[in-house]
Amino acid sequence: MSKPRSRREFIVAGLALPVAAEAALESPPPPLPAAAPETGEPPVIRKRTLGRTGLEVTEVGFGCMITSDASVITRAADLGINYFDTARVYQSGNNERLVGAALKGHRKEIVLSTKAKGGTAEEARAELDESLTQLGTDYVDIWYLHARSSADEITDDLREAQEKARDEGKIRFAGVSTHKGHEDVVPAAIEKKLDVVLMTYNFTMGDRMEPLLASLREAGVGAVAMKTQAGGRSDEAKARYEKLTANGGMLAALKWVLRNPAVATTVPSITDIAMLEENIQAMGASFTPADEALLAARLEAIRPDYCSMCGECEGTCPKGLPVADVLRYLTYAEGYGQFALGRDNFLAMPRELRDVRCDDCTSCPVRCPQGVEVTRRLRRAQELLA
Ligand code: SF4
Ligand code: SF4
């Protein structure tokens, strides 16, 4: 069986040693900077330029995917956050309506992005028209091709659809989002002259994404980071995980992402005011040795559960199960509390994959070098979602 990353690899990844991690886990919470609403002072707002778009976006943006309370989104805009991200499919199509209503009074001050899953130009354009209706706006600032995993999924037809939408004034800039296959998608985005790439980037990835982010920066393509805090955990990991969260682990994770100047903005999922107030503190805050220790502790706590979709699974499932995808659907359902989103994605797989049961296997050739307990987690996904 493959071993999880060694102590040496922790250092390479820029995180503290496990000994320090344990200390962080057991020690009392380090004091957090005072939240803006408690002091009455406005929060520090810092902006970066989103590549060649020239848009000035706040370092901390707002991922709306799992937000159910419109007032939290409005409050973020009131505080000065100016980048908001949604997608046509979020919350079974309801998220855009919520986001549009929440930001109605702020539309001219903000950068609004949405995404289309369609695989053909016709499907994507129909999604865009519906997005504009639900968002209650004439245009979106960035329109992403949603969740592309390979260069082949950024077809010339889809690129033409994006350019046509731009000519019609329905979008300002074109982008692509990617959960996996970054090594393929990022170069394709540069070659196909997309303006923005929205990609997974967090501390569990160490320095693996640095060359890709540097290439985007050099090409003038804006980079937006998602899944910034490696959220999502099983019930078993929850106690340790929540302790770390209370200790400032979520803020530390966001600060880790913002250490990289190639990242223009971030879209952490935010569901309540407390989370908003914590995340907003990442702007203007430095990443400290205490943050390093916290993240190393979090990495240990989530290791058996958290799939970063790195694409480095050793071995493949002989039944064709897309392991990383199924683990992502489980993260939606179990870690983010978005059961419908996880199940919708699971049920969208072809029937022959939906019907696979890991319980029927006596052995499994799939191993995760990052330490995810793959078979256990796949069984849990099938138990919850099939
Ligand atoms: S299971 Fe492990 S190796 Fe496979 S994609 Fe997830 S993190 Fe990477
Ligand atoms: S245990 Fe699951 S992932 Fe492994 S071979 Fe069987 S069906 Fe495939």
Side-chain angles (χ1 to χ4, degrees):
M1 180 185 277
S2 311
K3 290 227 167 33
R5 283 182 167 191
S6 66
R7 286 163 64 99
R8 162 86 186 135
E9 285 168 318
F10 267 108
I11 300 168
V12 171
L15 293 176
L17 295 171
V19 171
E22 275 308 312
L25 186 61
E26 300 309 330
S27 62
L32 293 174
E38 287 173 11
T39 64
E41 295 294 320
V44 174
I45 296 293
R46 290 206 321 204
K47 294 181 180 174
R48 298 182 186 180
T49 306
L50 186 62
R52 72 169 79 94
T53 71
L55 296 169
E56 293 295 313
V57 288
T58 47
E59 291 177 345
V60 175
F62 196 122
C64 301
M65 182 176 83
I66 61 173
T67 314
S68 299
D69 183 346
S71 72
V72 181
I73 299 173
T74 308
R75 176 73 178 144
D78 289 344
L79 287 171
I81 285 181
N82 80 345
Y83 185 88
F84 294 84
D85 180 69
T86 180
R88 180 80 284 280
V89 297
Y90 289 168
Q91 297 180 354
S92 305
N94 293 308
N95 189 246
E96 286 177 330
R97 172 63 69 96
L98 177 89
V99 171
L103 295 172
K104 200 171 177 188
H106 290 281
R107 180 66 191 95
K108 292 201 171 80
E109 308 139 28
I110 58 148
V111 174
L112 180 60
S113 65
T114 193
K115 321 183 189 74
K117 272 214 135 164
T120 68
E122 193 180 8
E123 288 166 352
R125 285 178 57 79
E127 284 183 69
L128 176 60
D129 288 342
E130 185 62 19
S131 290
L132 296 178
T133 300
Q134 295 302 325
L135 286 164
T137 184
D138 296 331
Y139 69 97
V140 289
D141 297 282
I142 302 160
W143 186 41
Y144 294 106
L145 304 177
H146 194 168
R148 309 296 150 154
S149 302
S150 70
D152 295 348
E153 295 175 23
I154 309 172
T155 65
D156 291 344
D157 276 0
L158 286 166
R159 282 295 292 121
E160 279 171 28
Q162 286 181 307
E163 292 311 311
K164 188 158 187 280
R166 192 199 308 251
D167 292 344
E168 293 168 350
K170 294 178 179 177
I171 71 169
R172 294 177 68 197
F173 299 103
V176 63
S177 77
T178 179
H179 299 282
K180 62 176 186 178
H182 297 78
E183 289 77 5
D184 202 25
V185 173
V186 167
I190 293 170
E191 190 204 322
K192 291 175 186 271
K193 301 195 183 322
L194 282 154
D195 302 306
V196 186
V197 170
L198 170 60
M199 58 192 278
T200 307
Y201 183 54
N202 62 51
F203 66 95
T204 70
M205 302 169 133
D207 54 8
R208 206 170 63 236
M209 292 293 154
E210 308 290 313
L212 292 175
L213 284 163
S215 71
L216 288 172
R217 194 178 195 199
E218 195 175 321
V221 178
V224 180
M226 64 174 167
K227 298 187 166 46
T228 47
Q229 286 142 314
R233 73 284 184 190
S234 69
D235 288 343
E236 303 95 76
K238 206 172 273 181
R240 282 170 68 84
Y241 184 89
E242 284 177 354
K243 193 169 177 182
L244 291 163
T245 304
N247 277 12
M250 300 302 266
L251 178 59
L254 197 50
K255 288 196 281 181
W256 185 92
V257 172
L258 289 172
R259 288 188 318 169
N260 192 325
V263 173
T265 185
T266 53
V267 287
S269 289
I270 297 174
T271 56
D272 57 40
I273 294 291
M275 213 183 265
L276 169 64
E277 289 173 353
E278 182 175 6
N279 282 325
I280 209 166
Q281 295 171 51
M283 288 183 278
S286 53
F287 185 78
T288 66
D291 293 326
E292 277 191 12
L294 270 173
L295 293 188
R298 280 196 61 209
L299 192 55
E300 283 307 296
I302 66 176
R303 179 187 299 289
D305 299 326
Y306 181 75
C307 168
S308 65
M309 306 198 71
C310 70
E312 292 173 7
C313 297
E314 292 169 2
T316 53
C317 170
K319 297 176 184 173
L321 214 56
V323 169
D325 287 330
V326 176
L327 295 179
R328 176 161 58 94
Y329 308 153
L330 178 61
T331 295
Y332 289 153
E334 198 178 52
Y336 293 177
Q338 295 293 305
F339 183 79
L341 180 66
R343 190 149 196 262
D344 285 350
N345 275 282
F346 188 95
L347 296 179
M349 292 194 298
R351 173 159 284 285
E352 60 272 23
L353 297 179
R354 291 195 323 249
D355 289 347
V356 169
R357 293 293 176 271
C358 294
D359 274 342
D360 296 338
C361 296
T362 51
S363 65
C364 178
V366 185
R367 295 280 179 273
C368 171
Q370 322 299 346
V372 177
E373 294 171 4
V374 173
T375 314
R376 177 178 64 80
R377 297 299 287 151
L378 288 173
R379 285 186 175 130
R380 178 65 172 157
Q382 291 153 3
E383 176 184 70
L384 274 180
L385 307 174

Coordinates of all heavy atoms in Angstrom, one line a residue, residues 73-113:
I73 N -24.6 37.5 1.7 CA -24.0 38.0 0.4 C -24.1 39.5 0.4 O -23.2 40.2 0.0 CB -24.8 37.3 -0.8 CG1 -24.6 35.8 -0.8 CG2 -24.3 37.9 -2.1 CD1 -25.4 35.1 -1.8
T74 N -25.3 40.0 0.7 CA -25.4 41.5 0.7 C -24.4 42.1 1.7 O -23.8 43.2 1.4 CB -26.9 41.9 1.1 OG1 -27.8 41.2 0.3 CG2 -27.1 43.4 1.0
R75 N -24.3 41.5 2.9 CA -23.4 42.1 3.9 C -21.9 42.1 3.3 O -21.2 43.1 3.6 CB -23.5 41.2 5.1 CG -22.5 41.6 6.2 CD -22.9 42.9 6.9 NE -21.9 43.2 8.0 CZ -21.5 44.5 8.3 NH1 -22.0 45.5 7.6 NH2 -20.7 44.7 9.3
A76 N -21.6 41.1 2.6 CA -20.2 41.0 2.0 C -20.0 42.2 1.1 O -19.0 42.9 1.1 CB -20.0 39.7 1.3
A77 N -21.0 42.4 0.2 CA -20.9 43.6 -0.7 C -20.8 44.9 0.1 O -20.1 45.8 -0.3 CB -22.0 43.5 -1.7
D78 N -21.6 45.0 1.1 CA -21.6 46.2 1.9 C -20.3 46.5 2.5 O -19.8 47.6 2.7 CB -22.7 46.1 3.1 CG -24.1 46.2 2.6 OD1 -24.3 46.6 1.5 OD2 -25.0 45.7 3.4
L79 N -19.6 45.4 2.9 CA -18.3 45.5 3.5 C -17.1 45.8 2.5 O -16.0 46.1 2.9 CB -17.9 44.2 4.3 CG -18.7 44.0 5.6 CD1 -18.4 42.6 6.2 CD2 -18.3 45.0 6.7
G80 N -17.5 45.6 1.2 CA -16.5 46.0 0.2 C -16.0 44.8 -0.6 O -15.2 45.0 -1.6
I81 N -16.4 43.6 -0.3 CA -16.0 42.5 -1.2 C -16.7 42.7 -2.5 O -17.8 43.1 -2.6 CB -16.5 41.1 -0.5 CG1 -15.5 40.8 0.6 CG2 -16.5 40.0 -1.6 CD1 -15.8 39.5 1.3
N82 N -15.9 42.5 -3.6 CA -16.5 42.8 -4.9 C -16.5 41.7 -5.9 O -16.9 41.9 -7.1 CB -15.8 44.1 -5.5 CG -14.5 43.8 -6.1 OD1 -13.9 42.7 -6.0 ND2 -14.0 44.8 -6.9
Y83 N -16.1 40.5 -5.5 CA -16.1 39.4 -6.5 C -17.0 38.3 -6.0 O -16.8 37.8 -4.9 CB -14.7 38.8 -6.7 CG -14.7 37.7 -7.8 CD1 -14.5 38.1 -9.1 CD2 -14.9 36.4 -7.5 CE1 -14.5 37.1 -10.1 CE2 -15.0 35.4 -8.5 CZ -14.8 35.8 -9.8 OH -14.8 34.9 -10.8
F84 N -18.0 38.0 -6.8 CA -19.0 37.0 -6.4 C -19.2 35.9 -7.5 O -19.3 36.3 -8.7 CB -20.4 37.7 -6.1 CG -20.3 38.6 -5.0 CD1 -19.9 39.9 -5.1 CD2 -20.7 38.2 -3.7 CE1 -19.8 40.8 -4.0 CE2 -20.6 39.0 -2.6 CZ -20.2 40.3 -2.8
D85 N -19.2 34.7 -7.1 CA -19.2 33.6 -8.0 C -20.4 32.6 -7.8 O -20.6 32.2 -6.7 CB -17.9 32.8 -7.9 CG -17.8 31.6 -8.9 OD1 -17.7 31.9 -10.1 OD2 -17.9 30.4 -8.4
T86 N -21.0 32.3 -8.9 CA -22.1 31.3 -8.8 C -22.0 30.5 -10.1 O -21.1 30.5 -10.8 CB -23.5 32.0 -8.7 OG1 -24.5 31.1 -8.6 CG2 -23.8 33.0 -9.8
A87 N -23.1 29.6 -10.3 CA -23.1 28.8 -11.5 C -24.6 28.4 -11.7 O -25.4 28.4 -10.8 CB -22.3 27.5 -11.3
R88 N -24.9 28.1 -13.0 CA -26.2 27.8 -13.4 C -26.8 26.6 -12.5 O -27.9 26.5 -12.2 CB -26.3 27.5 -14.9 CG -27.6 27.1 -15.5 CD -28.5 28.3 -15.8 NE -29.1 28.9 -14.6 CZ -30.2 28.4 -14.0 NH1 -30.8 27.4 -14.5 NH2 -30.7 29.0 -12.9
V89 N -25.9 25.6 -12.3 CA -26.4 24.4 -11.7 C -26.4 24.4 -10.1 O -27.0 23.5 -9.5 CB -25.5 23.2 -12.1 CG1 -25.6 22.9 -13.6 CG2 -24.1 23.3 -11.7
Y90 N -25.8 25.4 -9.5 CA -25.8 25.4 -8.1 C -27.2 25.4 -7.4 O -28.1 26.2 -7.8 CB -25.0 26.6 -7.5 CG -23.5 26.6 -7.8 CD1 -22.7 27.7 -7.6 CD2 -22.9 25.4 -8.2 CE1 -21.4 27.7 -7.8 CE2 -21.5 25.4 -8.5 CZ -20.8 26.6 -8.2 OH -19.4 26.6 -8.5
Q91 N -27.3 24.6 -6.4 CA -28.6 24.5 -5.7 C -29.7 24.2 -6.6 O -30.8 24.9 -6.6 CB -28.8 25.7 -4.8 CG -27.8 25.9 -3.7 CD -28.0 27.1 -2.8 OE1 -28.8 27.9 -3.1 NE2 -27.2 27.2 -1.8
S92 N -29.5 23.3 -7.5 CA -30.5 22.8 -8.5 C -31.1 24.0 -9.3 O -32.2 24.0 -9.6 CB -31.6 22.0 -7.8 OG -31.1 21.0 -7.1
G93 N -30.2 25.0 -9.6 CA -30.7 26.1 -10.4 C -31.2 27.3 -9.6 O -31.5 28.4 -10.1
N94 N -31.2 27.2 -8.2 CA -31.8 28.2 -7.4 C -30.8 29.3 -6.9 O -31.1 30.4 -6.5 CB -32.5 27.6 -6.2 CG -33.7 26.8 -6.6 OD1 -34.6 27.3 -7.3 ND2 -33.8 25.6 -6.1
N95 N -29.5 28.9 -7.0 CA -28.5 29.8 -6.4 C -28.4 31.2 -7.1 O -28.2 32.2 -6.5 CB -27.1 29.1 -6.4 CG -26.1 29.9 -5.6 OD1 -25.1 30.4 -6.1 ND2 -26.3 30.0 -4.3
E96 N -28.5 31.1 -8.4 CA -28.4 32.4 -9.2 C -29.5 33.4 -8.8 O -29.3 34.6 -8.7 CB -28.4 32.1 -10.7 CG -27.2 31.5 -11.2 CD -27.2 31.2 -12.7 OE1 -28.3 30.9 -13.2 OE2 -26.2 31.2 -13.3
R97 N -30.7 32.8 -8.5 CA -31.8 33.7 -8.1 C -31.5 34.4 -6.8 O -31.6 35.6 -6.6 CB -33.1 32.9 -8.0 CG -34.3 33.6 -7.4 CD -34.7 34.8 -8.3 NE -35.3 34.4 -9.5 CZ -36.6 34.3 -9.8 NH1 -37.4 34.6 -8.8 NH2 -37.0 33.9 -10.9
L98 N -30.9 33.6 -5.9 CA -30.6 34.2 -4.6 C -29.5 35.2 -4.7 O -29.6 36.3 -4.1 CB -30.0 33.0 -3.7 CG -29.5 33.4 -2.3 CD1 -30.6 33.3 -1.3 CD2 -28.4 32.5 -1.9
V99 N -28.4 34.9 -5.5 CA -27.3 35.9 -5.7 C -27.8 37.1 -6.3 O -27.4 38.3 -5.9 CB -26.2 35.2 -6.5 CG1 -25.1 36.2 -6.9 CG2 -25.6 34.0 -5.7
G100 N -28.6 37.0 -7.4 CA -29.1 38.2 -8.1 C -29.9 39.1 -7.2 O -29.7 40.3 -7.1
A101 N -30.8 38.5 -6.3 CA -31.6 39.3 -5.4 C -30.7 39.9 -4.4 O -30.9 41.1 -4.0 CB -32.6 38.4 -4.8
A102 N -29.7 39.2 -3.9 CA -28.8 39.7 -2.8 C -28.0 40.9 -3.3 O -27.7 41.8 -2.5 CB -27.9 38.6 -2.3
L103 N -27.6 40.9 -4.6 CA -26.7 41.9 -5.0 C -27.3 43.0 -5.9 O -26.6 43.8 -6.5 CB -25.6 41.2 -5.8 CG -24.7 40.3 -5.0 CD1 -23.7 39.5 -5.9 CD2 -23.9 41.1 -4.0
K104 N -28.6 43.0 -5.9 CA -29.3 43.9 -6.8 C -28.9 45.4 -6.6 O -28.7 46.1 -7.6 CB -30.8 43.8 -6.4 CG -31.7 44.3 -7.5 CD -33.2 44.0 -7.2 CE -34.1 44.5 -8.3 NZ -35.5 44.4 -7.9
G105 N -28.7 45.8 -5.4 CA -28.3 47.2 -5.1 C -26.8 47.4 -5.4 O -26.3 48.6 -5.2
H106 N -26.0 46.4 -5.7 CA -24.6 46.5 -5.8 C -24.1 46.2 -7.2 O -22.9 46.1 -7.4 CB -23.9 45.6 -4.8 CG -24.0 46.0 -3.4 ND1 -23.3 47.0 -2.8 CD2 -24.8 45.5 -2.4 CE1 -23.6 47.1 -1.5 NE2 -24.5 46.3 -1.3
R107 N -25.0 45.9 -8.1 CA -24.5 45.3 -9.4 C -23.4 46.1 -10.1 O -22.5 45.5 -10.6 CB -25.8 45.2 -10.4 CG -25.4 44.6 -11.7 CD -25.0 43.1 -11.6 NE -24.4 42.6 -12.8 CZ -23.1 42.5 -13.0 NH1 -22.2 43.0 -12.1 NH2 -22.6 42.0 -14.1
K108 N -23.5 47.4 -10.1 CA -22.5 48.2 -10.8 C -21.1 48.2 -10.1 O -20.1 48.5 -10.7 CB -22.9 49.6 -11.0 CG -24.1 49.7 -11.9 CD -24.3 51.1 -12.5 CE -25.3 51.2 -13.6 NZ -26.7 51.3 -13.0
E109 N -21.1 47.9 -8.8 CA -19.8 47.9 -8.1 C -19.1 46.6 -8.1 O -17.9 46.5 -7.6 CB -20.0 48.3 -6.6 CG -20.8 49.5 -6.4 CD -21.8 49.3 -5.2 OE1 -21.5 48.5 -4.3 OE2 -22.8 50.0 -5.2
I110 N -19.7 45.5 -8.5 CA -19.2 44.2 -8.3 C -18.8 43.5 -9.6 O -19.2 43.9 -10.7 CB -20.2 43.3 -7.5 CG1 -21.5 43.2 -8.3 CG2 -20.4 43.8 -6.1 CD1 -22.2 41.9 -8.1
V111 N -18.0 42.5 -9.4 CA -17.6 41.6 -10.5 C -18.4 40.3 -10.3 O -18.2 39.6 -9.2 CB -16.1 41.3 -10.5 CG1 -15.7 40.3 -11.6 CG2 -15.4 42.6 -10.8
L112 N -19.2 39.9 -11.2 CA -20.2 38.8 -11.0 C -19.8 37.7 -12.1 O -19.7 38.0 -13.3 CB -21.6 39.3 -11.2 CG -22.7 38.3 -11.1 CD1 -22.7 37.6 -9.7 CD2 -24.1 38.9 -11.4
S113 N -19.6 36.5 -11.6 CA -19.3 35.4 -12.5 C -20.3 34.3 -12.4 O -20.8 34.0 -11.3 CB -17.9 34.9 -12.3 OG -17.7 34.3 -11.0

